[in-house]
Amino acid sequence: MSHPRYLLLPLNLITITLALLSQRSQAQLSPSFYDCTCSDVSAIVRSTVQQAQTSDPRIYASLTRLFFHDCFVQGCDGSILLVDSSTIQSEQDARPNKNSARGFNVVDDIKTAVENACPGVVSCADILALAAEASVNLAGGPSWTVLLGRRDSTTANFTAAGNLPGPFDNLTTLQKKFSDVGLHDIDLVTLSGAHTFGRGQCQFFSNSRLYNFNGTGKPDPTLNSTYRTILEQNCPQGGNGSVLNNLDPITPNKFDGNYYINLQNHRGLFTSDQELLSDPNATTTASIVNNFAGNQRAFFNSFVQSMIKMGNISPLTGSSGEIRTNCSVVNSGSGLELHIQIRHDSDTGSAAE
Ligand code: HEM
Ligand SMILES: *[C@@H]1O[C@H](CO)[C@@H](O)[C@H](O)[C@H]1NC(C)=O
Ligand SMILES: *[C@@H]1O[C@H](CO)[C@@H](O)[C@H](O)[C@H]1NC(C)=O
Ligand SMILES: *[C@@H]1O[C@H](CO)[C@@H](O)[C@H](O)[C@H]1NC(C)=O
Ligand SMILES: *[C@@H]1O[C@H](CO)[C@@H](O)[C@H](O)[C@H]1NC(C)=O
Ligand SMILES: *[C@@H]1O[C@H](CO)[C@@H](O)[C@H](O)[C@H]1NC(C)=O
Ligand SMILES: *[C@@H]1O[C@H](CO)[C@@H](O)[C@H](O)[C@H]1NC(C)=O
Ligand SMILES: *[C@@H]1O[C@H](CO)[C@@H](O)[C@H](O)[C@H]1NC(C)=O
């Protein structure tokens, strides 16, 4: 007798799940996603980020970068926040993140504050999006309306994180890595402008730009020689590769348009920065650099658009993914959660029995 019943139950579940999926497959991110369930979420994120900055002047930059490193790896789904476990090989251990990506403790603080106000509602992926916006704006950059409604992944991709855009990449490679996620020259040049604040370690430029450009044993000829002298003092050959340098020496903690002026002065820190202007093929990117160098307002407007575009990279919506309780780990018992989700959404108590 239990046999037909056994068959019936999963069929019901499958039918309901499919109905929910198709109903929500149109799901788009929306600025009002938490209006009824957590209307203060933006303010909570902003105040926690601002508080963190009082003891960590670099945090605005670090949180802005975290959002980028999240979105470029299987979409904006909080995957970068997952630590090693039996099912997860953490993206945090991939080369571009290891001993480099930071701000995870502040994300945890934000999550705690948000959970206190509205438990189980706000995703870690959305927290990263909100924290990036708050950071840029608090550092003097533009503000914008953040689109929300992302859900959190139950997976991470260590290999894909290893393939994030890198400081040694040439323009062609950068263009390819951006176009792979639907971003183009305007987004590449605009988002690179985030290197207007924060720090970079010697290891990401000293050999390639100061001491052994392309195997020549000489400096990169596209590097300003006055700037090079300063960098050589902070990053002696064979020295400590973890020593930090300001990405924008003029206003290290401020979000402004100086990045592009620096590029015009051959003061881009990484190969990937100066390539936007100096690569022989950089006609399109160079004209964007030159436009932004003389027009901070145009840069800010473009930055808002490109951040929104980056924030739209394959989000999980509807019934895919989950709302993590702890941003560092996937929820336990995801099968059970599917049942609970269905009961809440469609009041089918018997099917979920
Ligand atoms: C275009 C390709 C990009 C490359 C190759 C690149 C590479 C890097 C590298 C190597 C660092 C220094 C990390 C360290 O020394 O530990 C860095 C820092 C940073 N990057 Fe990028 N980045 C790129 C694009 C972006 C984008 C799109 C954003 C954000 C929209 C961004 C925001 C930042 C920020 C704010 C920092 C400073 C972080 C801190 O001080 O903690 N970068 N980037
Ligand atoms: C992880 O990323 C790599 C490289 O981008 C890709 O080839 C692979 O299919 C991804 N793995 C999964 C499980 O999605
Ligand atoms: C850019 O880098 C890629 C990967 O290292 C290389 O294959 C390509 O030849 C380089 N392109 C140019 C124009 O230097
Ligand atoms: C780097 O060196 C290789 C081999 O010597 C050469 O073919 C290439 O043009 C050089 N690239 C640059 C950007 O100078
Ligand atoms: C290298 O520099 C980093 C950053 O300044 C510092 O924390 C670390 O202790 C240094 N390591 C050595 C071996 O000096
Ligand atoms: C090097 O930097 C200085 C200071 O910004 C600037 O005046 C000079 O024009 C730069 N040189 C080159 C070749 O860009
Ligand atoms: C860059 O320009 C060189 C010639 O200057 C050409 O051989 C190469 O294919 C170009 N690369 C791209 C990606 O357009
Ligand atoms: C979240 O998970 C991490 C990793 O397991 C753990 O170290 C941390 O204590 C957890 N945080 C909370 C608030 O439970």
Side-chain angles (χ1 to χ4, degrees), residues 8-74:
L8 191 62
L9 184 61
L11 275 174
N12 278 347
L13 279 174
I14 288 162
T15 310
I16 293 159
T17 305
L18 286 176
L20 282 170
L21 280 174
S22 59
Q23 185 190 324
R24 295 181 185 182
S25 63
Q26 311 292 347
Q28 296 279 318
L29 302 182
S30 150
S32 55
F33 191 81
Y34 296 115
D35 279 6
C36 300
T37 53
C38 199
S39 57
D40 283 344
V41 63
S42 297
I44 295 169
V45 172
R46 190 178 170 99
S47 69
T48 312
V49 168
Q50 189 166 23
Q51 177 58 35
Q53 196 269 348
T54 60
S55 59
D56 181 356
R58 187 183 168 194
I59 194 64
Y60 294 155
S62 303
L63 290 170
T64 304
R65 185 174 188 231
L66 270 193
F67 186 49
F68 159 51
H69 281 206
D70 185 34
C71 291
F72 266 58
V73 178
Q74 68 179 25

Side-chain angles (χ1 to χ4, degrees), residues 165-186:
F168 313 112
D169 287 349
N170 61 36
L171 181 63
T172 312
T173 302
L174 293 169
Q175 287 170 322
K176 165 89 168 82
K177 289 180 177 179
F178 273 67
S179 69
D180 282 352
V181 293
L183 300 177
H184 304 293
D185 280 350
I186 181 70

Side-chain angles (χ1 to χ4, degrees), residues 1-230:
M1 287 304 284
S2 66
H3 192 62
R5 189 179 156 83
Y6 175 80
L7 276 175
L8 191 62
L9 184 61
L11 275 174
N12 278 347
L13 279 174
I14 288 162
T15 310
I16 293 159
T17 305
L18 286 176
L20 282 170
L21 280 174
S22 59
Q23 185 190 324
R24 295 181 185 182
S25 63
Q26 311 292 347
Q28 296 279 318
L29 302 182
S30 150
S32 55
F33 191 81
Y34 296 115
D35 279 6
C36 300
T37 53
C38 199
S39 57
D40 283 344
V41 63
S42 297
I44 295 169
V45 172
R46 190 178 170 99
S47 69
T48 312
V49 168
Q50 189 166 23
Q51 177 58 35
Q53 196 269 348
T54 60
S55 59
D56 181 356
R58 187 183 168 194
I59 194 64
Y60 294 155
S62 303
L63 290 170
T64 304
R65 185 174 188 231
L66 270 193
F67 186 49
F68 159 51
H69 281 206
D70 185 34
C71 291
F72 266 58
V73 178
Q74 68 179 25
C76 312
D77 60 358
S79 59
I80 193 176
L81 303 174
L82 294 172
V83 298
D84 264 333
S85 72
S86 58
T87 57
I88 300 291
Q89 185 178 16
S90 180
E91 293 171 14
Q92 293 174 23
D93 295 327
R95 167 89 170 124
N97 292 329
K98 196 173 173 62
N99 299 320
S100 178
R102 62 192 295 281
F104 298 108
N105 56 333
V106 176
V107 173
D108 290 341
D109 290 347
I110 298 169
K111 179 66 170 172
T112 301
V114 169
E115 287 295 302
N116 283 338
C118 355
V121 166
V122 179
S123 67
C124 300
D126 279 345
I127 285 173
L128 288 177
L130 288 164
E133 189 276 338
S135 293
V136 167
N137 185 236
L138 287 166
S143 69
W144 63 93
T145 304
V146 180
L147 299 184
L148 299 166
R150 299 168 191 82
R151 292 169 63 83
D152 297 322
S153 71
T154 54
T155 62
N157 193 327
F158 171 86
T159 310
N163 200 35
L164 275 158
F168 313 112
D169 287 349
N170 61 36
L171 181 63
T172 312
T173 302
L174 293 169
Q175 287 170 322
K176 165 89 168 82
K177 289 180 177 179
F178 273 67
S179 69
D180 282 352
V181 293
L183 300 177
H184 304 293
D185 280 350
I186 181 70
D187 307 300
L188 168 61
V189 177
T190 300
L191 293 171
S192 295
H195 289 177
T196 178
F197 62 173
R199 318 281 180 262
Q201 301 173 56
C202 294
Q203 59 178 305
F204 294 122
F205 63 85
S206 63
N207 278 335
S208 56
R209 304 211 70 209
L210 306 179
Y211 304 117
N212 192 15
F213 167 74
N214 196 25
T216 59
K218 293 188 175 141
D220 184 336
T222 67
L223 183 63
N224 185 304
S225 58
T226 313
Y227 186 41
R228 173 163 45 90
T229 304
I230 298 165

Side-chain angles (χ1 to χ4, degrees), residues 240-244:
N240 181 345
S242 304
V243 168
L244 298 173

Side-chain angles (χ1 to χ4, degrees), residues 8-10 12-13 16 339 342-343 346-353:
L8 191 62
L9 184 61
N12 278 347
L13 279 174
I16 293 159
H339 288 66
I342 289 164
R343 289 176 63 153
S346 53
D347 190 32
T348 52
S350 61
E353 175 177 33

